[in-house]
């Protein structure tokens, strides 16, 4: 099980794969939540994302991997130097293991240096490592509440402020939050739910051919992961190029006013709280259009991403039996026509 | 076609086979061992140990293991002694290449299970704790000891889903177990294992058989595939045969099957009473034949063989249930009782640390204390005459603050009998859902006991999951007699278990109070009322918070008498809708 499963070798689960690609194309979409049955490859797919991401430029020696090209939102050290040397590094996909303690997540006093040299130094935590990349929380609904609060706060502000043991450190921490979980283990707090840009539901494939394919590929991977990855490298490369192209094209994609209006109508119809829904919907539609190679957002794009962008923002109505996905479908029928 | 199970003979042979296959491919399979502690279990475990090979580490994980021991963390003693941070490996990392036994897995908290599952998936322990980050390989074979008494007490699903074999020793004696293979044979099989090939047909049949039996998780066919390979390796073959696949299917699918293989379009509407009476499990040929008449897709012979192998291994009563069209409630889909333990009072929410001295029950936070002391060591070290490596002073002491609160579990006991109008049921459902919707905030859970006909039934074990609640509520139907005493006993049992877990139970009855079915299930009104009154008094004795909502159109004495007997708040609500109902419950909970 060493190494990553190739992203393109994942059978089916198109919604999840698309949502992740959108998050790569436009990180401002704001995170992806994957909820669904056991054994559907949630974790596998998300971890596979790391293999898909193109490398990025980062300042050498910067503990936060600052972008040498940008001037805003960089750490103190980098804002001091004029022309920092940079190198290509992989985009971080940081796994937040269950049982992580708060000091490792936000960073704390460097114990080793304090003990050995008597120096008070800050040791960056997982949030620092995830800067400019992805932070993945498996079983997000089992995460301790106080950690969830910290994560939400940092994800929203893009900055991690540490005030511990007389240390006062702030550093940039902009990352895409990716969570996965099984709804039967317990629900997610609505506050947290709303912070995710996109949410997808994954199900076990029921048709036998698909299941056979899943089992075969997984088996091949477990027996010889190197050879398996080599076999899929071409496809992964192709997808990587597509995603990179989409990212470069993104700022040229037009969102006509009519589409903004459509998005607003949809949100009003569904009664979502706040404006985050519309914002995410438009951004996701734009990213999707870019992925498709289109330069103008149309109904087609909105329709494709609307369930993911809005599903988790609906006011929960315990007396309505219809699933949230169905409610989004219904609203779309009314707004877009059949 | 010959449908005798591939593993002929007693369930003991199946248990023995599972042990051998597990030893051949420990990381790929894993065992959930359902048995009470006793000679049979000891014998099984001893067999595994003897086959596992000498020198393989074996670790036992107690149910309440803290994260520091499970995953690893800072070794405080060593850190203090050496004056630099020293990492301590956890149990899982220690067991790399060996065996992990999970004790009392049915009481394991979902969080612990998720941690173990994550390690099993990645094959390494990633630790981000106590100021240190490290990763250690941890590939091990897991045996979860499941001592659950009934279907409700099951290990967390995250764990059982990843364990290939579910072995039940509860009906076996020590002498039923076969003599284990010798370690050399296992070692030879392990060597052969990587070269064993599987044809596409076999993979397809394994997947198809899983679908036919209603096994949803994709981990099951994968586990079956690994098991089939192990079986082939054990038999000294280089390719998996149908017999190997049959063994694997029997061991992996039998405990996971949720339905009788039948064409999808008929399974819901048709009940086939003639199909397989329980005693036919010994010769399932007849039932196999009747299945085959209406087929859209042609199952190949292999799939049929596998399905039959599994069928032969299914317990007889289960077979009868399937035949009657009852879909099995899969234990692994339910949330284990352990969930509430973890979220209850045992999980005090850490509210940080504060400066203070560890007295009066306050717990010293060693790590934070050490942290507080750490930066000053250079300075303090200069004080003459000190031999201690680390000097901790009074102002360094940190104590942990824990914000504890007990969660409330509201148990609804709903009268679904004919005398309570059907719409009551709808209101109760609505109230449960409304209360559940608020549970995020309050961190409380809800359970539902319904009674009608002859018995009470626990419809919804304590849960917070709206998804799950809806699924259970949707299946609740009304009509029949009023077995009130039985319902009260069931509710009290549940309340008792909730209380023992450290949560506060609140029992809400929705009934008209007119019992007419006795505990033994007979229609006898006077005796039923007598029993109900007796059962009600037990609540008062145990001083539980109860609320009785009288749902009869014209409230009468029956309800009031019962409420008095159990010391309950009495609330006549002839026209309750779900909103007033949930409001009333909220008031009762707050007051109680």
């Amino acid at each position: 099980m060493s190494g990553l499963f190739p992203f393109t070798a994942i059978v089916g689960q198109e919604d999840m794969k698309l949502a992740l690609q959108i998050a790569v194309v436009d990180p401002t979409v704001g995170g992806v939540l994957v909820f669904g049955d056991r054994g559907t490859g949630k974790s596998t797919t998300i971890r596979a994302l790391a293999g898909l991401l193109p490398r990025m430029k980062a300042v050498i020696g910067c503990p936060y991997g600052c972008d040498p090209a940008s001037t805003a939102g960089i750490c103190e050290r980098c804002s001091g130097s004029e022309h920092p040397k940079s190198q290509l590094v992989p985009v971080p996909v940081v796994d937040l293991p269950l049982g992580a303690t708060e000091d490792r997540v936000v960073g704390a006093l460097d114990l080793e240096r304090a003990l050995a040299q008597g120096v008070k130094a800050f040791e960056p935590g997982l949030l620092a490592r995830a800067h400019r990349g992805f932070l993945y929380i498996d079983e997000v609904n089992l995460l301790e509440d106080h950690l969830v609060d910290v994560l939400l706060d940092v994800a929203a502000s893009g900055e991690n402020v540490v005030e511990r043991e007389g240390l006062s450190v702030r550093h940039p921490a902009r990352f895409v939050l990716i969570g996965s979980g099984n709804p039967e283990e317990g629900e997610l707090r609505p506050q947290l739910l709303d912070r995710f840009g996109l949410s997808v539901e994954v199900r076990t494939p029921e048709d036998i051919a698909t299941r056979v394919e899943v089992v075969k590929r997984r088996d091949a991977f477990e027996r010889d992961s190197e050879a398996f990855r080599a076999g899929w490298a071409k496809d992964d490369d192709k997808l990587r190029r597509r995603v990179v192209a989409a990212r470069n094209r993104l700022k040229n994609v037009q969102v006509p006013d009519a589409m903004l209006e459509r998005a607003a109508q949809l949100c009003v119809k569904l009664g979502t709280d706040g404006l985050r829904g519309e914002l995410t919907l438009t951004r996701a539609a734009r990213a999707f259009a870019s992925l498709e190679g289109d330069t103008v957002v149309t109904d087609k794009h909105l329709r494709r991403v609307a369930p993911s962008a809005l599903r988790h923002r609906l006011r929960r109505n315990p007396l309505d039996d219809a699933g949230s996905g169905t409610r989004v479908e219904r609203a779309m029928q009314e707004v877009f026509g059949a | 076609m010959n449908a005798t199970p591939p593993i002929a003979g007693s369930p003991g042979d199946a248990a023995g086979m599972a042990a051998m296959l597990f030893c051949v491919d420990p990381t790929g399979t894993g065992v959930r061992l359902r048995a009470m502690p006793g000679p049979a279990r000891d014998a099984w475990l001893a067999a595994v140990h003897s086959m596992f090979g000498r020198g393989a580490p074996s670790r036992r994980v107690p149910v309440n293991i803290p994260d520091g021991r499970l995953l690893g963390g800072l070794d405080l003693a060593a850190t203090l002694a050496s004056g630099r941070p020293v990492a301590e490996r956890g149990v899982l990392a220690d067991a790399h290449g060996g065996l992990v036994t999970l004790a009392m897995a049915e009481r394991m908290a979902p969080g612990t299970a998720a941690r173990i599952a994550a390690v099993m998936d990645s094959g390494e322990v990633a630790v981000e704790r106590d100021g240190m980050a490290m990763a250690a390989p941890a590939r091990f074979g897991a045996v979860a000891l499941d001592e659950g008494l009934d279907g409700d007490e099951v290990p967390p699903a995250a764990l059982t889903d990843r364990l290939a074999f579910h072995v039940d020793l509860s009906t076996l004696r020590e002498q039923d177990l076969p003599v284990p293979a010798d370690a050399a044979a296992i070692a030879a099989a392990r060597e052969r294992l990587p070269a064993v090939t599987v044809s596409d047909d076999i993979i397809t049949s394994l997947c198809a058989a899983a679908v036919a039996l209603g096994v949803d998780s994709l981990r099951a066919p994968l586990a079956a595939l690994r098991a089939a390979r192990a079986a082939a390796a054990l038999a000294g073959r280089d390719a998996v045969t149908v017999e190997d696949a049959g063994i694997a299917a029997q061991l992996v699918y039998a405990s996971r099957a949720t339905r009788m293989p039948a064409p999808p379009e008929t399974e819901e509407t048709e009940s086939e009473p003639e199909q397989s009476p329980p005693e036919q499990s010994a010769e399932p040929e007849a039932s196999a034949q009747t299945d085959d008449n209406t087929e859209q897709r042609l199952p190949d012979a292999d799939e049929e063989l596998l399905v039959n192998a599994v069928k032969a291994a299914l317990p007889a009563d289960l077979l009868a249930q399937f035949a009657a069209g009852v879909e099995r409630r899969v234990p692994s889909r339910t949330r284990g009782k352990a969930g509430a333990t973890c979220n209850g009072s045992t999980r005090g929410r850490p509210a940080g640390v504060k400066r203070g001295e560890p007295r009066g029950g306050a717990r010293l936070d060693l790590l934070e204390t050490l942290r507080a002391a750490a930066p000053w060591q250079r300075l303090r070290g200069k004080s003459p005459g000190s031999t201690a490596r680390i000097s901790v002073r009074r102002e360094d002491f940190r104590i942990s603050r824990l914000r504890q609160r007990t969660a409330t579990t509201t148990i609804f006991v709903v009268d679904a009998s004919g005398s309570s109008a059907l719409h009551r049921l709808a209101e109760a459902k609505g109230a449960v859902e409304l209360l559940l919707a608020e549970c995020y905030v309050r961190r409380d859970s809800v359970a539902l006991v319904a009674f009608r006909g002859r018995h009470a039934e626990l419809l919804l074990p304590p849960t917070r999951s709206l998804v799950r609640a809806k699924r259970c509520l949707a299946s609740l139907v009304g009509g029949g007699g009023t077995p009130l005493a039985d319902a009260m006993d069931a509710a009290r049992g549940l309340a008792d278990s909730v209380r023992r877990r450290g949560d506060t139970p609140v029992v809400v009855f929705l009934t008209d109070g007119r019992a007419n079915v006795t505990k033994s299930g007979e229609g006898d009104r006077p005796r039923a009322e007598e029993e109900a009154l007796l059962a009600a008094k037990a609540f008062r004795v145990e001083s539980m918070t109860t609320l009785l909502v009288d749902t009869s159109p014209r409230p009468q004495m029956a309800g009031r008498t019962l409420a008095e007997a159990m010391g309950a708040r009495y609330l006549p609500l002839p026209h309750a809708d779900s909103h007033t109902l949930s409001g009333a419950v909220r008031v009762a909970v707050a007051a109680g």
Side-chain angles (χ1 to χ4, degrees), chain A residues 98-172:
Chain A
L98 278 168
T101 51
E102 193 181 332
D103 58 279
R104 281 301 305 152
V105 174
V106 299
L109 195 68
D110 187 334
L111 206 58
E112 174 134 33
R113 291 181 67 189
L115 284 171
Q117 302 157 23
V119 180
K120 223 190 222 185
F122 178 68
E123 191 189 15
L126 292 175
L127 293 181
R129 221 195 294 160
H131 179 48
R132 302 181 63 201
F134 296 80
L135 184 68
Y136 172 44
I137 313 168
D138 195 7
E139 309 282 355
V140 62
N141 38 359
L142 293 180
L143 202 64
E144 300 277 351
D145 279 353
H146 65 283
L147 272 180
V148 172
D149 296 341
V150 169
L151 285 175
L152 283 181
D153 186 38
V154 176
S157 63
E159 188 179 47
N160 181 25
V161 181
V162 186
E163 296 283 355
R164 294 170 78 100
E165 295 121 3
L167 278 174
S168 178
V169 176
R170 51 178 57 210
H171 67 80

Side-chain angles (χ1 to χ4, degrees), chain A residues 1 37-40 97-101 103-104 108-109 111-112 114-118 120 123 126 129 139 142-146 149 164-165 183-190 204-206 208 211-212 214-216 218-219 222-223 316-321, chain B residues 67 71 74 79 83-85 110 114-115 121 126 128-133 157-158 161 194 196 200 203-204 207-208 211 215-219 221-222 225-226 229 333 335 347 349-350 368 371 374-375 378 390 430 433 437 440 443 464-467 470-471:
Chain A
M1 261 167 266
D37 297 339
R38 259 170 254 295
T40 43
L98 278 168
T101 51
D103 58 279
R104 281 301 305 152
L109 195 68
L111 206 58
E112 174 134 33
L115 284 171
Q117 302 157 23
K120 223 190 222 185
E123 191 189 15
L126 292 175
R129 221 195 294 160
E139 309 282 355
L142 293 180
L143 202 64
E144 300 277 351
D145 279 353
H146 65 283
D149 296 341
R164 294 170 78 100
E165 295 121 3
E184 295 199 353
E185 302 273 355
E187 305 268 337
L188 211 55
R189 286 192 298 162
T204 319
E206 268 163 25
I208 293 191
R211 291 178 67 116
V212 170
V214 172
V215 171
K216 272 189 195 162
R218 183 78 215 179
D219 185 54
E222 276 175 19
R223 287 169 71 80
R316 201 181 278 270
N317 180 0
L319 303 177
D320 188 353
D321 266 343
Chain B
D67 281 353
L71 306 168
L74 190 74
T79 300
R84 60 181 184 81
R115 287 159 176 74
D121 284 354
E128 297 284 350
R129 299 179 50 76
D130 305 341
M132 50 182 50
D161 195 38
V196 176
D200 284 0
I203 296 182
T204 311
C207 290
V211 171
V215 180
D216 279 339
S217 172
L218 272 170
R219 286 202 182 94
L222 272 168
L225 189 55
R226 301 285 294 249
R229 274 220 184 86
R333 289 196 77 111
R335 214 160 81 97
R347 193 177 86 165
R349 188 174 158 169
E368 291 298 329
R371 286 253 171 76
R378 275 271 165 115
I390 286 194
E433 290 191 356
Y440 305 108
R443 290 267 158 200
R464 244 185 238 153
S465 165
L466 206 55
V467 180
K470 275 192 179 166
R471 198 176 293 156

Side-chain angles (χ1 to χ4, degrees), chain B residues 475-487:
Chain B
S475 64
L476 178 57
V477 291
T482 316
L484 192 53
D486 193 41

Side-chain angles (χ1 to χ4, degrees), chain B residues 77-170:
Chain B
T79 300
L80 286 169
S82 65
R84 60 181 184 81
V86 177
E88 176 193 34
R89 273 154 57 100
V91 174
L92 295 183
D94 275 346
H96 178 54
L99 188 66
V100 168
T101 317
L102 309 166
M104 292 173 92
E106 81 282 0
R107 304 188 53 153
M108 184 177 280
T112 312
R115 287 159 176 74
I116 295 172
V119 173
M120 284 167 79
D121 284 354
S122 63
E124 65 165 26
V125 186
V127 184
E128 297 284 350
R129 299 179 50 76
D130 305 341
M132 50 182 50
M134 55 184 179
R139 294 167 64 78
F140 50 80
V143 178
L145 303 180
D146 174 5
E147 296 171 10
L149 283 174
D150 48 31
D152 286 335
E153 259 184 329
V154 292
L159 205 59
T160 52
D161 195 38
R162 286 172 171 84
L163 299 175
F165 307 128
H166 295 188
V167 177
D168 193 344
L169 297 182
S170 51

Side-chain angles (χ1 to χ4, degrees), chain A residues 54-338:
Chain A
R55 290 165 166 259
M56 63 178 191
K57 272 190 174 177
V59 176
I60 293 178
C62 174
Y64 311 108
C66 283
D67 184 358
S70 78
T71 49
I74 54 177
C75 71
E76 282 176 26
R77 191 171 157 279
C78 294
S79 57
S81 63
E82 275 295 303
H83 294 290
K85 281 188 181 163
S86 66
Q87 61 181 355
L88 280 176
V89 294
V91 172
V93 176
V94 176
D95 229 311
L96 182 75
L98 278 168
T101 51
E102 193 181 332
D103 58 279
R104 281 301 305 152
V105 174
V106 299
L109 195 68
D110 187 334
L111 206 58
E112 174 134 33
R113 291 181 67 189
L115 284 171
Q117 302 157 23
V119 180
K120 223 190 222 185
F122 178 68
E123 191 189 15
L126 292 175
L127 293 181
R129 221 195 294 160
H131 179 48
R132 302 181 63 201
F134 296 80
L135 184 68
Y136 172 44
I137 313 168
D138 195 7
E139 309 282 355
V140 62
N141 38 359
L142 293 180
L143 202 64
E144 300 277 351
D145 279 353
H146 65 283
L147 272 180
V148 172
D149 296 341
V150 169
L151 285 175
L152 283 181
D153 186 38
V154 176
S157 63
E159 188 179 47
N160 181 25
V161 181
V162 186
E163 296 283 355
R164 294 170 78 100
E165 295 121 3
L167 278 174
S168 178
V169 176
R170 51 178 57 210
H171 67 80
R174 280 187 305 280
F175 50 86
V176 178
L177 204 58
I178 300 183
S180 73
N182 184 322
E184 295 199 353
E185 302 273 355
E187 305 268 337
L188 211 55
R189 286 192 298 162
Q191 302 96 305
L192 185 58
L193 215 51
D194 189 43
R195 297 296 174 93
F196 286 97
L198 305 173
S199 93
V200 285
E201 285 168 15
V202 287
R203 289 220 170 72
T204 319
E206 268 163 25
D207 110 85
I208 293 191
T210 315
R211 291 178 67 116
V212 170
E213 194 55 37
V214 172
V215 171
K216 272 189 195 162
R217 288 189 190 174
R218 183 78 215 179
D219 185 54
F221 174 72
E222 276 175 19
R223 287 169 71 80
D224 189 352
S225 57
E226 285 304 319
F228 187 75
R229 270 206 301 275
W232 287 93
K234 229 179 181 173
D235 288 14
D236 261 11
D237 275 344
K238 209 168 132 196
L239 184 60
R240 187 178 304 123
R241 278 197 297 276
R242 192 177 144 185
V243 170
V244 171
R247 199 153 67 179
N248 296 334
R249 206 186 295 127
L250 184 66
K251 53 183 179 296
N252 300 325
V253 176
Q254 305 288 322
V255 187
D257 284 353
M259 285 301 114
L260 292 176
E261 209 167 294
R262 278 281 163 87
Q265 276 173 0
L266 199 58
C267 290
V268 169
K269 180 106 355 197
L270 285 166
T272 56
D273 296 333
L275 289 172
R276 210 175 265 156
E278 279 134 285
L279 210 57
T280 310
L281 179 56
T282 357
R283 277 182 182 156
R286 190 172 55 190
F288 177 56
S290 191
L291 269 171
E292 294 280 279
D294 296 329
T295 48
V296 180
V297 172
T298 62
D299 270 1
K300 179 184 85 176
H301 304 122
L302 275 183
R303 292 190 84 138
R304 179 73 178 86
V305 298
S308 306
L310 299 178
R311 184 188 284 130
H312 53 300
R313 296 173 203 280
L314 307 187
R315 273 274 172 77
R316 201 181 278 270
N317 180 0
L319 303 177
D320 188 353
D321 266 343
S324 41
T326 326
R327 279 165 69 194
V328 176
E329 280 305 324
R330 244 190 267 148
M332 282 203 296
Q333 295 271 331
E334 287 175 34
V335 173
F336 295 108

